[in-house]
Amino acid sequence: MSSSPADSASIMARLKRGLWLKPDRLLAVNVTVVMAVMVVPLLWTGHAFAGVCLTLGVLAGALSETDDHPKGRIKSLSLKVLSFAVASASAELLKFNPILLGAGFFLSTIGFVMLGGMGERYRGITFGAQLVGIYTMIGSEISPNWYLQPILLTTGALVYGLFSLSLLYFRPYRLLEQQLAAGFAALGHYMAEKARLFPSDAAGQDEIRSRLALLNVETVGALDRIRDVLSSYRNAGADETAIKSYLYRFMVLQGLHERAASSHERYELLSREAENRDLLFGIGELMRQLSKAARSYGESLLTHEPYQHPVALEWIVDALNEKLQSHGLEKQHPLSLLIRNLSRSSESLANADNLSRASYMPRLAEDRRPLWQRFRELLRISHPRMRYALRLSTAFLIGYSVSEVFDVTKGAWIVLTILFVMQQSYSQTRRRLWQRILGTFCGVVFGVLTVQFLTPAGQLLFMLASAYFFFVWLKRKYSVSVIFITTFVLCAFNLIAQVGVAVMLPRMTDTLIGSLIALITVRLLWPDWQSRRLPALLTEALVKNTAYFRAILQEYREAGEGDDYEYRIARRAAHRADNALVLAWRDIQLEPGRRQKVQTEAFRLTYLNHALLSYLSAFAAHRGQPMESPMLLDFADDILRALENACDWLKPTVNEAQESVRVTDTLALIRYHLELSARELAQVQYTTLYNLADITRQLLDEVQTIREES
């Protein structure tokens, strides 16, 4: 029975919608289509080497693509074509002189890595150039002419870049929409995890809060990427009305994140009271529904379908307010504050497309320094980028030397493995190493077992399918993506010379050698142990939180007048510093055993700093309203001074015990005035300041304990 035209149209509409909803799949489809168009005719006419080289150029071009305005994409593509041609031609021309090739490889790697440190656009291009250079080394043995690979690899990248650029002109704001959708999705995951706190007990808090801290890293990273793409579009002269609409949505997302990250009370204490349980269950359900709504809004940005705010959210809010009345809880009760906070989030999300509220164009944080100044800053030996450049180039030189001295079969794969495995820290490299080895091993087994039963046409389809799934999984699970890039390489070599299966054992061996070289190099050359960085990271986090607190107080004094640019800068810096501390705690767990002694200490400090940031976010959520009492500002200034002194925790002149006593006295005064206060707003502000003072006292006590132990 044949399908009707209406059925076919419906199927196509669903497929199109599915691609818009999954940007990774859309990228994978684009790459696979370009590869197929280029490789099929050449394989059909017996030019397998040319076809495979073109697909490798497409692969490198797609991996080095940046999220830019179409005008920026044109500049990136021009730089990409030039750098790819230079890298590939250099590898071909120097291949007969191993010493010159090794020296050139060493120096060019330093140059490319340093250039990549000047911005995201350059980082993608320079990685692609390194990749193309290594691809050229791998294929030089079977290349008919020295100039063939530079032309084919560069052409593949150019054709893919032009194809991607042409698609972008049909929907020029797609990159912005994708990043905004990713931001709302990240926020949705954060809120879904936070819903587990309602209700919760102390035993389960550590795991939930650890997970929340890591999810906050993803959310803040998504916010930074949105900001970068917005700046790219804004600087390229995009339509002001359109940019204003996306800026407004970005500000809505920032506000939602601030309220989601805020904490008005310790929720395990509230969960102990039996009469709160039904309210806490309701709050948890409200957060889960808000999580789904945030993800749904992100999907509407991708599909351009109108966002329908869930009616269920209004029902839950109404039901919770009725419960509050039936329980007789006052408006300043933490659960009342929390419900009000979440209902405001629901209202913001419901009005995210109400662009009449976008009254002005807020400033965005941008690095406006000249390129030469940014590059000069990287040239210090203490800079992480310079150290990474020296580590990577040294590992490349060792890997290349091993392949030449011991005449390793397909030795360039050692260098390729180092490129993908070597990261900026020991723990990141170790994590990537096992993913690479596991993925390569599984890919070899799966590919060898499969390719035996395939005809050349079947191997071509398998290669294209491998490319598709590589890009689908690349950002989701690296080890799975390695499986498919391994089967891609197996099919490519089989199509060129029927040696795909034969080179798989050398590939596995070279992967092990390259991984070992990468691990040893990062272990010995400036290993950047996170356990050593812990004091500096905590100091930085406290400094940024203190600056954030100072900016919040300034907002209170100005009662929300004017642009809150300085406040947003301080908030962003505080979250970035908190994220650095969280990532350091995570990475310490993968460092050698003797360095894990500080793991408990790192978790405690990370927990306290993240709690401080949560209470600051709660305090900031009410900044549009003036201080109810002048005494509140005095208390806030006391806490601020204590935090400023805590920032100097490594200096022996600071007496943390004295500061802790002063904050304890402030706590008692705040509690006294809280009990006397009758006005709702004052009680909210007193409660939030009390929590801030309490967590500050705990931080001071922890600092004092650490100094006594050391």
Side-chain angles (χ1 to χ4, degrees):
M1 186 172 70
S2 62
S3 60
S4 66
D7 292 337
S8 300
S10 176
I11 292 172
M12 290 302 296
R14 285 198 296 270
L15 286 173
K16 183 179 178 181
R17 188 176 188 275
L19 286 177
W20 285 126
L21 284 175
K22 302 290 184 181
D24 289 343
R25 290 182 187 174
L26 182 62
L27 170 64
V29 167
N30 292 343
V31 172
T32 307
V33 167
V34 176
M35 281 185 176
V37 169
M38 300 183 77
V39 75
V40 170
L42 288 169
L43 283 177
W44 188 266
T45 56
H47 297 88
F49 178 79
V52 169
C53 278
L54 286 171
T55 62
L56 290 174
V58 172
L59 188 73
L63 286 173
S64 57
E65 195 167 52
T66 57
D67 289 332
D68 245 333
H69 183 273
K71 290 182 181 178
R73 278 281 181 95
I74 294 174
K75 295 178 183 177
S76 296
L77 185 57
S78 302
L79 289 171
K80 186 186 301 182
V81 169
L82 178 63
S83 60
F84 281 20
V86 170
S88 184
S90 300
E92 281 283 12
L93 292 172
L94 296 176
K95 68 181 180 182
F96 297 110
N97 191 323
I99 295 177
L100 281 179
L101 180 57
F105 202 22
F106 179 85
L107 294 174
S108 65
T109 298
I110 295 176
F112 277 136
V113 173
M114 299 303 288
L115 183 64
M118 293 195 297
E120 193 62 35
R121 177 186 298 173
Y122 301 99
R123 190 172 298 122
I125 294 169
T126 55
F127 172 80
Q130 290 173 288
L131 186 60
V132 163
I134 298 172
Y135 281 161
T136 304
M137 292 168 63
I138 293 173
S140 62
E141 296 176 3
I142 53 177
S143 178
N145 303 101
W146 74 268
Y147 55 81
L148 200 56
Q149 284 196 101
I151 292 174
L152 292 171
L153 289 168
T154 304
T155 301
L158 175 62
V159 171
Y160 174 77
L162 292 173
F163 176 75
S164 178
L165 188 62
S166 65
L167 291 180
L168 196 57
Y169 272 103
F170 285 107
R171 197 169 173 178
Y173 295 97
R174 175 172 56 86
L175 299 175
L176 258 179
E177 291 158 358
Q178 287 180 359
Q179 294 298 343
L180 276 167
F184 278 99
L187 177 66
H189 293 310
Y190 181 89
M191 295 177 78
E193 183 66 24
K194 192 161 187 177
R196 294 177 58 201
L197 289 171
F198 308 100
S200 59
D201 53 35
Q205 290 266 321
D206 287 354
E207 186 234 334
I208 296 173
R209 292 196 178 276
S210 300
R211 176 72 178 150
L212 279 174
L214 292 172
L215 287 171
N216 191 59
V217 172
E218 296 178 13
T219 306
V220 173
L223 288 170
D224 283 343
R225 288 189 292 273
I226 297 168
R227 186 181 293 103
D228 292 341
V229 180
L230 270 170
S231 296
S232 167
Y233 274 71
R234 203 173 186 176
N235 295 334
D239 179 69
E240 185 172 318
T241 302
I243 290 297
K244 184 182 286 188
S245 70
Y246 290 112
L247 270 171
Y248 173 68
R249 294 181 177 105
F250 175 57
M251 300 304 289
V252 168
L253 178 58
Q254 278 195 314
L256 289 170
H257 174 243
E258 184 171 65
R259 286 194 287 272
S262 66
S263 294
H264 288 85
E265 190 54 273
R266 293 174 59 187
Y267 302 125
E268 74 275 13
L269 299 180
L270 296 173
S271 299
R272 292 177 186 173
E273 301 176 20
E275 61 271 19
N276 292 337
R277 300 288 287 187
D278 53 348
L279 275 171
L280 287 167
F281 276 116
I283 290 170
E285 182 58 28
L286 177 56
M287 290 205 74
R288 278 185 284 273
Q289 292 300 322
L290 274 172
S291 163
K292 293 177 183 177
R295 293 196 290 266
S296 177
Y297 182 77
E299 291 177 358
S300 75
L301 290 173
L302 294 172
T303 61
H304 286 189
E305 296 173 355
Y307 169 68
Q308 300 294 330
H309 195 62
V311 179
L313 280 171
E314 297 179 18
W315 294 344
I316 296 172
V317 170
D318 290 341
L320 285 172
N321 284 324
E322 289 179 8
K323 281 283 186 185
L324 284 173
Q325 293 178 3
S326 65
H327 282 271
L329 296 181
E330 298 176 346
K331 291 184 178 181
Q332 75 276 8
H333 191 278
L335 292 179
S336 300
L337 296 176
L338 182 56
I339 292 170
R340 193 178 317 147
N341 191 30
L342 293 176
S343 62
R344 287 175 60 194
S345 294
S346 177
E347 182 184 352
S348 296
L349 197 54
N351 290 285
D353 283 332
N354 185 1
L355 302 182
S356 61
R357 298 189 174 196
S359 56
Y360 71 102
M361 293 273 280
R363 287 184 290 168
L364 291 174
E366 296 181 69
D367 189 352
R368 296 187 177 276
R369 293 175 301 165
L371 288 178
W372 66 267
Q373 188 175 345
R374 283 189 249 173
F375 187 76
R376 189 176 64 180
E377 185 179 318
L378 301 174
L379 297 179
R380 293 178 288 108
I381 193 65
S382 59
H383 197 285
R385 194 77 186 172
M386 172 60 86
R387 292 186 171 186
Y388 173 63
L390 291 173
R391 276 198 299 263
L392 184 62
S393 57
T394 301
F396 278 170
L397 188 59
I398 294 171
Y400 177 70
S401 300
V402 167
S403 69
E404 287 295 315
V405 171
F406 296 98
D407 195 21
V408 179
T409 304
K410 298 296 177 185
W413 274 338
I414 295 176
V415 183
L416 184 66
T417 299
I418 292 170
L419 176 65
F420 284 104
V421 169
M422 175 78 77
Q423 303 297 304
Q424 291 205 25
S425 71
Y426 171 85
S427 50
Q428 292 172 332
T429 301
R430 180 176 161 182
R431 190 179 292 111
R432 180 61 68 90
L433 178 148
W434 293 115
Q435 292 172 336
R436 187 78 187 181
I437 291 175
L438 178 63
T440 301
F441 178 79
C442 293
V444 167
V445 173
F446 174 58
V448 169
L449 292 177
T450 304
V451 79
Q452 307 286 343
F453 304 99
L454 298 176
T455 63
Q459 291 176 31
L460 172 60
L461 291 175
F462 189 29
M463 185 182 79
L464 294 174
S466 297
Y468 171 81
F469 286 111
F470 168 71
F471 280 97
V472 166
W473 285 98
L474 182 59
K475 294 180 181 178
R476 293 166 60 187
K477 197 170 183 63
Y478 180 73
S479 57
V480 176
S481 71
V482 173
I483 295 174
F484 290 108
I485 199 61
T486 302
T487 57
F488 175 89
V489 170
L490 187 154
C491 291
F493 273 92
N494 243 29
L495 289 169
I496 293 173
Q498 293 298 313
V499 294
V501 174
V503 300
M504 283 299 102
L505 181 59
R507 179 174 174 83
M508 190 67 212
T509 304
D510 294 345
T511 297
L512 293 172
I513 295 173
S515 297
L516 185 62
I517 290 172
L519 188 66
I520 292 174
T521 305
V522 79
R523 179 73 171 79
L524 297 178
L525 283 181
W526 305 293
D528 199 21
W529 302 120
Q530 301 304 304
S531 51
R532 288 182 181 173
R533 296 181 63 217
L534 190 63
L537 288 172
L538 178 64
T539 301
E540 179 73 4
L542 286 175
V543 167
K544 298 305 183 186
N545 272 334
T546 302
Y548 181 30
F549 191 17
R550 194 179 297 113
I552 295 170
L553 290 177
Q554 186 62 32
E555 286 289 302
Y556 271 103
R557 289 186 171 98
E558 295 177 356
E561 296 177 0
D563 187 1
D564 60 351
Y565 176 74
E566 298 299 332
Y567 161 79
R568 287 185 282 112
I569 292 293
R571 177 184 180 275
R572 178 193 184 195
H575 275 280
R576 280 185 161 185
D578 179 69
N579 287 354
L581 193 59
V582 169
L583 292 175
W585 162 72
R586 184 191 66 178
D587 289 348
I588 284 173
Q589 300 173 67
L590 290 176
E591 292 183 353
R594 63 189 177 86
R595 301 188 181 277
Q596 290 191 29
K597 293 186 294 183
V598 298
Q599 186 174 330
T600 303
E601 173 187 308
F603 173 76
R604 176 68 178 161
L605 293 172
T606 302
Y607 173 85
L608 288 173
N609 184 76
H610 194 68
L612 175 63
L613 184 57
S614 297
Y615 289 133
L616 285 170
S617 296
F619 192 47
H622 305 286
R623 69 187 185 280
Q625 306 170 58
M627 286 285 188
E628 274 288 293
S629 166
M631 196 169 293
L632 277 161
L633 279 175
D634 293 337
F635 290 149
D637 288 336
D638 282 343
I639 301 169
L640 181 61
R641 279 194 295 272
L643 281 172
E644 288 171 343
N645 285 322
C647 292
D648 298 327
W649 74 299
L650 290 179
K651 297 181 180 178
T653 55
V654 176
N655 189 332
E656 285 86 5
Q658 182 179 341
E659 291 300 323
S660 182
V661 170
R662 185 152 64 90
V663 175
T664 302
D665 292 340
T666 303
L667 273 171
L669 284 171
I670 294 175
R671 179 183 288 279
Y672 172 73
H673 284 279
L674 176 60
E675 292 170 352
L676 290 181
S677 177
R679 293 177 62 85
E680 175 193 338
L681 179 58
Q683 289 175 334
V684 171
Q685 293 170 346
Y686 274 124
T687 301
T688 310
L689 277 178
Y690 181 87
N691 289 327
L692 272 173
D694 186 42
I695 206 70
T696 299
R697 178 183 55 78
Q698 292 183 57
L699 269 168
L700 289 168
D701 289 344
E702 188 71 21
V703 167
Q704 184 182 4
T705 301
I706 292 170
R707 282 182 53 184
E708 287 174 353
E709 290 177 351
S710 60

